[in-house]
């Protein structure tokens, strides 16, 4: 059993990404996600500062104690997000997502990735770490090395997270399949760009967690109830 199945109790999960253009809009979007039956969400500091996002995370814990809430703080190293998140959440931090997990498939050692492993061990943190590998706007990974990059990354994170070439752009199925091959059946793989109800079927055999914003928004920061519900049904089927 991989960590996604362990935490969420299902083999595949939709985690809507909330772009908090404002607190009220963010809370309303989370309510849309909860009404659709999703098990968790991610909040990201695009539209709010990191302090505001962490305050929102804590507010969401109060509103929906059983909802899993992960954070992506762009511009901050995972170890710093861990420290800030635990402090802001009074010890509760469900998940961290980093666009760049600092995996170098050509290197013998992974010192930056290992630093986070040490930090979480020191804090006794057992949340989910989604680490970006072959991720949009980061260093590219050659197709021939995707399988190895995923296999290598598995030792440093709970969920290997990849994407298409840009925000809202679909990933190549061949890329996702290669990374799944590297992770095996017990590793967890997330996809974080370009997923829609129209194309999600292409990825269902390979991906465990779907981090979706653009594909389920009516406009930036505002989730569309129909799109969320429809995508949740397809992923959960």
């Amino acid at each position: 059993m991989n960590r996604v199945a362990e935490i969420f109790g299902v083999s595949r999960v939709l985690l809507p990404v909330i772009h908090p253009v404002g607190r009220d809009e963010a809370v309303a979007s989370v309510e849309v996600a909860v009404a659709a039956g999703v098990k968790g969400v991610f909040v990201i500091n695009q539209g709010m500062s990191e302090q505001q996002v962490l305050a929102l995370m804590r507010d969401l814990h109060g509103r929906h104690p059983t909802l899993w809430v992960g954070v992506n703080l762009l511009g901050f190293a995972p170890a710093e997000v861990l420290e800030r998140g635990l402090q802001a959440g009074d010890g509760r931090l469900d998940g961290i997502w980093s666009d760049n997990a600092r995996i170098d498939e050509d290197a013998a050692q992974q010192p930056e990735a290992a630093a986070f492993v040490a930090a979480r061990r020191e804090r006794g943190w057992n949340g989910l770490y989604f680490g970006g590998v072959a991720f949009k706007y980061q260093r590219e990974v050659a197709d021939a090395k995707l399988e190895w990059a995923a296999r290598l990354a598995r030792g440093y994170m709970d969920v290997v997270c990849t994407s298409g070439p840009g925000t809202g752009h679909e990933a190549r199925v061949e890329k996702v399949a290669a990374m799944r091959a590297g992770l095996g059946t017990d590793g967890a793989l997330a996809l974080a760009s370009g997923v829609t109800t129209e194309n999600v079927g292409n990825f269902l055999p390979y991906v465990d967690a779907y981090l979706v914003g653009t594909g389920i928004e009516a406009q930036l920061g505002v989730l569309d109830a129909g799109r969320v519900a429809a995508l949740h049904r397809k992923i959960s089927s």
Side-chain angles (χ1 to χ4, degrees):
M1 178 185 296
N2 67 40
R3 287 280 279 149
V4 167
E6 176 187 333
I7 294 298
F8 296 105
V10 293
S11 59
R12 296 192 297 265
V13 64
L14 169 64
L15 300 174
V17 179
I18 309 299
H19 297 109
V21 294
R23 181 187 174 281
D24 291 346
E25 292 89 344
V27 169
S29 285
V30 171
E31 295 299 332
V32 166
V34 169
V38 304
K39 294 177 177 291
V41 299
F42 265 106
V43 291
I44 186 171
N45 60 333
Q46 289 181 316
M48 282 184 173
S49 69
E50 66 275 9
Q51 294 96 335
Q52 290 171 319
V53 166
L54 291 173
L56 174 63
M57 175 195 75
R58 181 171 177 171
D59 184 20
L60 295 175
H61 289 163
R63 289 171 177 269
H64 299 286
T66 63
L67 181 69
W68 186 95
V69 182
V71 296
N72 184 348
L73 299 185
L74 299 170
F76 292 85
E80 188 173 0
V81 178
L82 177 64
E83 192 69 28
R84 286 171 175 256
L86 287 172
Q87 183 176 4
D90 288 336
R92 176 179 172 181
L93 178 62
D94 297 337
I96 295 171
W97 163 21
S98 174
D99 287 8
N100 189 345
R102 304 295 180 182
I103 296 295
D104 185 347
E105 66 281 357
D106 292 322
Q109 304 294 327
Q110 310 295 323
E112 293 181 272
F116 180 76
V117 174
R120 73 180 299 175
R121 183 182 299 119
E122 181 180 351
R123 296 303 303 266
W125 184 67
N126 198 36
L128 287 183
Y129 173 40
F130 290 67
V133 178
F135 204 81
K136 59 187 178 182
Y137 312 128
Q138 308 298 324
R139 181 181 60 80
E140 291 190 13
V141 177
D143 285 355
K145 295 186 177 180
L146 287 167
E147 183 174 339
W148 167 242
R151 182 178 295 119
L152 176 63
R154 179 178 171 178
Y156 297 92
M157 61 204 69
D158 302 291
V159 187
V160 173
C161 186
T162 196
S163 75
T167 299
H169 292 275
E170 182 178 352
R172 291 181 295 112
V173 175
E174 296 81 4
K175 172 185 179 179
V176 175
M179 296 184 74
R180 164 51 65 194
L183 289 168
T185 57
D186 293 333
L189 181 63
L191 184 57
S193 78
V195 175
T196 66
T197 55
E198 290 75 25
N199 66 25
V200 69
N202 297 329
F203 303 108
L204 294 179
Y206 311 109
V207 176
D208 307 291
Y210 300 78
L211 284 52
V212 185
T214 305
I216 53 175
E217 288 178 327
Q219 62 190 65
L220 181 64
V222 178
L223 293 188
D224 181 282
R227 293 180 187 177
V228 176
L231 187 56
H232 177 57
R233 284 195 299 270
K234 285 201 170 186
I235 289 171
S236 301
S237 63

